[in-house]
Amino acid sequence: VGIGFELSATDAAVHTEGDEAPDEEELVIGKVTLSAVSLKKFITISDEAIDLSGEEFLDYIFDELTYKIAKLAEDTLLGMVATAGTTATSTSVSVTELSDDGTDILSIVPTAVANLSDEAANPVIVMNKLTYASFKSAQLAANYGVDPFEGLPVYFNNSLKALTAATASTDVWLVVGDFGVGAQANFPNGDEIRIKYDELSLAEADLVKIVGREYVGLGLVSDKAFTRVAYDPS
């Protein structure tokens, strides 16, 4: 699936009746391609475990497979933000990158928001849980009476480096952006994670295979909808 985005464009103009027509808009469109891949996880368990544990155990297995697949999709999307270029091309949008070693931790969120595009109107914050602790420690140490998160929703994902564990300029420890505008998913077979229950192929070993799978294409589709903060080792 190809998703178009504005690579560059001229602004609108004020036109007074009777004046010459304003110049025609110069619009350059880029296109991001969402290529679907199969996200999969499976587990093999014994007939005895299923018989002894019953329906609650199976529900746990199904929930675990579903969670792991959804988590992989989330981690993949954050990985795209962490590695995207800082200049848009005809086939990819860009993100803004800030560098900080935690020195400006109490002002980094408003700075990140300030670098978002106008279209990114509903930003959220994503960080490692240990980074959240760093924010709160800095807030308490400074007797800071203002919310360092600017009232924005905070979500946790431990695939991002914790600030305390970051050592290299490639270590992204904070993402701020609008996922509703800036990211898109393509589900060719529907957005339901499918579970397959196979009790036949390994029946001679009294084993049951349970497979979870989702077919999805993920991509960043709006320019400057995200700001990432990478560690500054200097």
Side-chain angles (χ1 to χ4, degrees):
V1 173
I3 306 294
F5 69 95
E6 182 183 291
L7 185 59
S8 66
T10 53
D11 294 329
V14 175
H15 180 251
T16 302
E17 186 176 0
D19 287 351
E20 293 183 3
D23 292 336
E24 182 179 355
E25 179 185 22
E26 297 178 4
L27 176 63
V28 179
I29 297 293
K31 185 178 75 170
V32 173
T33 301
L34 306 187
S35 300
V37 295
S38 180
L39 308 183
K40 180 184 292 186
K41 184 174 179 62
F42 73 91
I43 188 171
T44 302
I45 55 180
S46 68
D47 279 336
E48 290 85 354
I50 293 176
D51 292 340
L52 291 174
S53 303
E55 186 175 339
E56 288 186 359
F57 178 67
L58 281 179
D59 287 343
Y60 168 78
I61 294 296
F62 293 165
D63 289 345
E64 175 68 7
L65 293 177
T66 300
Y67 168 77
K68 290 294 188 182
I69 292 170
K71 180 71 165 59
L72 176 57
E74 180 181 309
D75 293 351
T76 300
L77 196 56
L78 281 174
M80 291 178 176
V81 176
T83 58
T86 55
T87 301
T89 71
S90 60
T91 58
S92 62
V93 302
S94 67
V95 305
T96 298
E97 179 171 296
L98 305 176
S99 296
D100 186 63
D101 61 358
T103 301
D104 299 318
I105 191 171
L106 293 179
S107 61
I108 197 65
V109 169
T111 303
V113 172
N115 280 277
L116 297 175
S117 67
D118 291 344
E119 290 75 21
N122 296 293
V124 300
I125 303 166
V126 186
M127 68 180 75
N128 189 296
K129 282 186 176 180
L130 290 173
T131 302
Y132 182 84
S134 296
F135 270 98
K136 301 308 289 186
S137 294
Q139 182 183 22
L140 293 172
N143 294 316
Y144 202 61
V146 179
D147 179 12
F149 305 127
E150 294 290 294
L152 300 181
V154 177
Y155 295 95
F156 299 119
N157 185 293
N158 288 345
S159 69
L160 294 178
K161 278 275 189 178
L163 174 57
T164 53
T167 57
S169 60
T170 53
D171 290 339
V172 174
W173 58 271
L174 188 72
V175 168
V176 178
D178 187 336
F179 286 87
V181 167
Q184 191 158 326
N186 170 41
F187 299 96
N189 298 330
D191 59 4
E192 180 182 358
I193 296 176
R194 301 184 180 187
I195 303 292
K196 296 182 179 179
Y197 186 89
D198 178 8
E199 57 184 346
L200 298 177
S201 61
L202 299 175
E204 74 281 1
D206 296 325
L207 296 175
V208 175
K209 181 181 290 186
I210 303 174
V211 183
R213 186 170 72 92
E214 177 64 280
Y215 201 49
V216 60
L218 300 166
L220 307 183
V221 296
S222 182
D223 201 44
K224 301 300 182 186
F226 297 97
T227 299
R228 66 178 179 237
V229 182
Y231 185 73
D232 182 0
S234 60

